[in-house]
Amino acid sequence: MEVLKTKNSTKIFLVDRYFPFNELSSVFDDSHKVISFDYESDKILNDKKIAHIISDEFLNNAELIELQNISYDHANWFRNEKFKKYLEYDEINIGELCKIEFHYFLLPFLKKLYEVQKIYDIYPNSKYVASGFLSEICKLYSNNIYAFKEKNSPPSLLYDSVNYKVNIGSINFTLQLPTKFYNFVKYVIDFILQVIFNPKMLSKNKKNIILVESDIINYEEFLLKSKKSNINLLLFNRRRPYAWNLRTFLILFRSKSGLLRYRLKSNNKSKNTLEFQLVKLSQLWQAETHLNTFFTLNNKSFWKIIKPTLISIMNKTVKEEKFIRNCIEDTLNSFTPSSVLVNNETGFLECLLVKLCKKKGIPIFVIQHGSLANDGLSLKEFNFFLGGYPVISKHFLAWGNVTHKACLRYGFEAEKIHALGSITHEKFFKSKINSIKNQDYILLAATSPNSENIVYNLLTRTNKNYEYLIQQICKISNKLGKKLIIKTHPKQNELDISPIVKKIDPSIIVINQGDIFPLIKDCHVFLCTDYSTTILEAHILEKPVISIKISDFPFDNEMLRKNSCIVSSIEEIESNLLKIINDDSFSKEYVSRGLNLLDDYFTNKTNSTQKIIEFLNHI
């Protein structure tokens, strides 16, 4: 602690959420500078009334965009020719299977690295005080660094735990379960379900088609209609549970779909292969010269800092790959599918399955999963990195002309793209036939910034905007005397906003899971954060939409270009809500704009499921 008491030059404290804040106040005085590197540390410093600078202020927009692209380049490290020979086995690159998990660790790390360099350029002669990764980054630039021991362990990786969201009436809470425990419970439940829905009991005279990581509720119509066709639908889920309540169980029961089963078995060949791959990995980690050169930013190598994390990710991945590969190969050999349907090409199961199916000549179809509404050329890298387009797959089942045109702009062959409509939105279009009286409530579809790994969403101001938005909408709905329902995104790392909401009004309903369709159908006005597929769903159900901007991310999409919804700042929410509530012609104008947009987004609006089944039958 003596080093902290010296006053020979300015001390700069670099703090993030893992900094030992209790020790900060005892060594800090007004001559020191404090810089926070994330939203959590900014909140703690504000609570302690410690003046500080936010690290985001050292980066401009051009640098943020550059940083995002650099993160993709480094996350695709496994494609480098110097590393591929250690990572590839039987045409499968192990590094590709975990690129999403690695990127979730890498992007925040690179942001800190970029910011520390900027800070050092301004304050080259200062003494630095930091902990954890920040202290290691500081050592790349300065020898004048004091490293605190972290108050707790470094951040867990994206898939180290599973956030299981529970809704019981008006009570909402999230259980953080270790991934191993979640997988064990899921395996036991899936085993029971797979005995009931045994795929071997299905007709031998029908085509076997595998549907991967499907949401039973969203695919209900597809499952039920497949039963009456020439298709045996086989569900293959690794991350998602097959059924989690009575409704999903009944859908499975009525559809007579088969559930593919993981078999926990091993053999000498797989054991030998695993040992061989682990040896190759250990050889890779000894190639320090190449790794140091590749993992470099602005002439500073950060390889030694991230090395333990990447080794941990890769060791876990190579072991899991062996088990999943055995399951896939056993499934493909047992059921000989005529085709496989996936939502993307980057998930662990999807990536491995796509590669193995391609080797066997089994056609792979990517089903458009989200709106891909952010379809401008500025987002090309983002869209390709997440794998929603058919880079390897033979076919792409697109919703309509907007996606079809985007695919052509991105260089895909026209014969690969089939604009047949959206399976998940058929029920939205059909629901308009029935006249259902609206309830008088406001619906907010809230997606927290940390659910997407975009550098703009790491900014403190973006996270402040999101929390402020939640608070303001709660207050405005109370002021207007309107009931408010908030539906959060179902993603694994979605922020739990229930504590924020309950402080303002415990009667406000926060729903963490389940189908958003009935909520949109019965609301008066629909709000959402930035841009999402839910805007299109609200357009279909003829609801006026307000999109509330919380991020500076450069969106570029057809909804924005066609002005189909009101784009509002947080400060303008109340006035825009009042216009919709009090001015019927104003509200109808935006409903009309939304309906006009749909013809471009969707073909076969009320019969897309049947069209897709017919296509799969004849392909």
Side-chain angles (χ1 to χ4, degrees):
M1 202 66 73
E2 289 299 315
V3 68
L4 295 175
K5 295 179 180 178
T6 60
K7 301 248 180 168
N8 295 332
S9 64
T10 300
K11 291 192 187 70
I12 298 180
F13 290 77
L14 308 181
V15 303
D16 59 13
R17 74 190 77 175
Y18 302 101
F19 192 88
F21 288 95
N22 291 336
E23 298 184 49
L24 178 60
S25 56
S26 65
V27 297
F28 170 76
D29 62 45
D30 291 340
S31 68
H32 301 149
K33 295 183 185 298
V34 179
I35 302 176
S36 69
F37 279 76
D38 52 37
Y39 180 44
E40 290 78 8
S41 60
D42 173 69
K43 286 202 295 185
I44 294 171
L45 292 169
N46 284 330
D47 290 342
K48 291 179 175 291
K49 296 181 169 49
I50 296 175
H52 59 284
I53 304 168
I54 297 171
S55 63
D56 305 344
E57 297 173 11
F58 294 90
L59 300 178
N60 58 39
N61 279 331
E63 289 165 334
L64 290 171
I65 293 171
E66 178 186 34
L67 188 55
Q68 185 75 47
N69 291 328
I70 287 171
S71 74
Y72 295 142
D73 292 339
H74 282 94
N76 286 321
W77 69 284
F78 53 87
R79 291 181 179 154
N80 187 287
E81 290 298 326
K82 292 183 173 66
F83 309 138
K84 283 172 66 174
K85 63 181 180 180
Y86 300 106
L87 298 170
E88 288 187 344
Y89 175 78
D90 198 18
E91 300 181 36
I92 302 295
N93 190 314
I94 302 298
E96 187 171 5
L97 300 176
C98 57
K99 76 170 185 177
I100 298 298
E101 184 173 23
F102 181 48
H103 187 251
Y104 263 86
F105 158 79
L106 185 65
L107 180 60
F109 174 87
L110 290 177
K111 179 176 177 289
K112 290 177 181 179
L113 182 63
Y114 216 107
E115 290 164 339
V116 168
Q117 179 185 334
K118 292 282 185 177
I119 293 164
Y120 180 76
D121 288 344
I122 299 171
Y123 306 108
N125 299 316
S126 295
K127 294 180 184 297
Y128 290 89
V129 181
S131 67
F133 283 125
L134 277 173
S135 65
E136 295 302 312
I137 292 170
C138 280
K139 291 174 185 176
L140 298 177
Y141 300 96
S142 174
N143 293 321
N144 205 354
I145 168 75
Y146 179 84
F148 264 119
K149 185 177 180 181
E150 292 177 303
K151 69 176 182 180
N152 49 29
S153 57
S156 62
L157 297 168
L158 179 63
Y159 300 132
D160 282 355
S161 62
V162 175
N163 291 329
Y164 187 76
K165 298 171 182 177
V166 180
N167 285 109
I168 304 175
S170 60
I171 301 173
N172 304 286
F173 57 92
T174 300
L175 297 174
Q176 190 174 62
L177 306 174
T179 299
K180 286 185 179 179
F181 176 76
Y182 172 82
N183 285 340
F184 173 75
V185 174
K186 182 179 179 297
Y187 178 80
V188 172
I189 295 172
D190 286 353
F191 178 82
I192 297 169
L193 290 172
Q194 289 158 345
V195 171
I196 299 171
F197 302 104
N198 189 336
K200 291 183 177 179
M201 296 171 63
L202 299 176
S203 171
K204 306 291 185 185
N205 300 319
K206 292 185 176 184
K207 285 185 175 181
N208 289 330
I209 294 182
I210 297 177
L211 177 60
V212 182
E213 297 291 3
S214 58
D215 183 313
I216 300 299
I217 291 177
N218 284 337
Y219 282 86
E220 179 178 7
E221 192 78 7
F222 185 55
L223 269 62
L224 296 177
K225 286 189 176 178
S226 296
K227 181 181 68 171
K228 301 176 182 178
S229 71
N230 192 38
I231 289 175
N232 285 327
L233 207 54
L234 309 178
L235 308 187
F236 198 17
N237 286 8
R238 170 178 171 263
R239 299 182 300 274
R240 293 178 180 271
Y242 286 113
W244 57 92
N245 56 22
L246 180 60
R247 179 184 174 187
T248 49
F249 179 84
L250 290 176
I251 292 171
L252 288 176
F253 183 78
R254 291 165 57 210
S255 70
K256 306 299 182 187
S257 299
L259 305 187
L260 295 175
R261 176 177 166 188
Y262 287 112
R263 290 169 173 80
L264 295 174
K265 64 179 184 179
S266 183
N267 53 48
N268 289 332
K269 180 182 177 182
S270 62
K271 288 178 181 178
N272 293 337
T273 303
L274 174 60
E275 290 174 4
F276 174 72
Q277 288 180 302
L278 288 172
V279 168
K280 288 179 70 177
L281 276 182
S282 66
Q283 293 171 347
L284 169 62
W285 308 136
Q286 295 170 24
E288 294 282 355
T289 302
H290 297 317
L291 291 162
N292 274 315
T293 301
F294 182 85
F295 289 107
T296 298
L297 182 64
N298 296 332
N299 299 318
K300 293 290 183 180
S301 175
F302 54 90
W303 163 242
K304 289 184 179 179
I305 306 175
I306 68 165
K307 179 179 178 179
T309 302
L310 185 54
I311 288 177
S312 174
I313 292 173
M314 291 299 297
N315 285 343
K316 177 181 67 174
T317 301
V318 74
K319 293 172 185 177
E320 193 168 6
E321 183 269 347
K322 199 52 52 203
F323 165 59
I324 301 298
R325 181 197 281 249
N326 285 341
C327 294
I328 292 173
E329 289 179 340
D330 184 55
T331 295
L332 298 181
N333 292 333
S334 299
F335 296 99
T336 318
S338 62
S339 56
V340 174
L341 312 180
V342 298
N343 291 318
N344 63 72
E345 295 182 345
T346 55
F348 194 110
L349 175 60
E350 293 92 334
C351 181
L352 195 51
L353 188 58
V354 163
K355 296 291 180 66
L356 294 174
C357 284
K358 187 174 182 180
K359 282 181 61 178
K360 290 178 174 289
I362 299 170
I364 310 123
F365 295 74
V366 175
I367 305 176
Q368 184 174 346
H369 179 58
S371 69
L372 301 178
N374 302 313
D375 53 22
L377 291 175
S378 63
L379 298 194
K380 180 177 179 179
E381 288 299 320
F382 174 75
N383 287 326
F384 272 70
F385 187 81
L386 293 180
Y389 286 100
V391 176
I392 301 172
S393 302
K394 189 172 184 179
H395 301 282
F396 185 45
L397 302 181
W399 290 355
N401 294 328
V402 167
T403 307
H404 188 272
K405 291 174 184 176
C407 288
L408 296 180
R409 285 199 301 273
Y410 287 164
F412 291 106
E413 304 91 341
E415 58 270 20
K416 211 175 189 182
I417 316 304
H418 312 280
L420 298 176
S422 170
I423 292 170
T424 58
H425 291 100
E426 185 170 325
K427 66 179 179 182
F428 284 81
F429 285 107
K430 286 183 174 179
S431 72
K432 293 172 61 180
I433 299 169
N434 302 317
S435 177
I436 300 175
K437 191 178 187 308
N438 289 338
Q439 296 181 23
D440 195 20
Y441 66 81
I442 297 167
L443 175 63
L444 168 65
T447 303
S448 62
N450 61 336
S451 67
E452 295 285 358
N453 207 28
I454 298 171
V455 70
Y456 282 93
N457 290 351
L458 299 176
L459 301 180
T460 294
R461 66 174 178 268
T462 304
N463 286 272
K464 279 185 174 180
N465 284 343
Y466 181 71
E467 191 165 318
Y468 180 62
L469 162 69
I470 300 299
Q471 293 168 342
Q472 288 301 105
I473 290 180
C474 291
K475 292 174 182 177
I476 290 168
S477 64
N478 279 346
K479 181 180 177 181
L480 300 179
K482 294 288 185 181
K483 180 181 176 182
L484 174 65
I485 296 177
I486 302 177
K487 174 68 171 69
T488 62
H489 200 284
K491 283 195 174 180
Q492 150 71 9
N493 54 338
E494 180 67 27
L495 177 69
D496 182 7
I497 60 171
S498 297
I500 301 171
V501 173
K502 298 309 176 187
K503 280 183 181 179
I504 298 171
D505 185 352
S507 69
I508 293 174
I509 300 171
V510 179
I511 300 175
N512 295 321
Q513 60 181 1
D515 192 1
I516 198 172
F517 166 67
L519 299 175
I520 300 178
K521 184 174 65 174
D522 289 346
C523 76
H524 183 181
V525 57
F526 179 76
L527 314 181
C528 75
T529 53
D530 290 321
Y531 296 93
S532 77
T533 303
T534 55
I535 293 178
L536 292 173
E537 292 164 357
H539 286 338
I540 297 170
L541 297 172
E542 301 187 13
K543 306 297 177 181
V545 178
I546 301 177
S547 169
I548 305 157
K549 190 170 176 60
I550 63 168
S551 170
D552 295 326
F553 189 69
F555 293 104
D556 184 10
N557 59 60
E558 197 68 11
M559 290 179 277
L560 185 61
R561 292 190 285 268
K562 295 289 180 66
N563 196 22
S564 70
C565 61
I566 301 167
V567 180
S568 175
S569 66
I570 298 174
E571 291 72 24
E572 297 170 326
I573 295 172
E574 184 174 352
S575 61
N576 284 321
L577 271 171
L578 284 170
K579 286 179 185 177
I580 288 176
I581 293 168
N582 297 327
D583 188 339
D584 194 47
S585 61
F586 180 81
S587 177
K588 287 180 178 178
E589 169 64 22
Y590 275 95
V591 168
S592 177
R593 292 183 189 185
L595 290 173
N596 290 337
L597 181 71
L598 297 177
D599 288 338
D600 284 336
Y601 263 101
F602 298 98
T603 59
N604 303 316
K605 296 174 183 176
T606 59
N607 64 340
S608 55
T609 299
Q610 189 59 42
K611 291 290 184 182
I612 289 172
I613 289 173
E614 290 172 2
F615 178 76
L616 293 173
N617 265 322
H618 293 96
I619 194 72

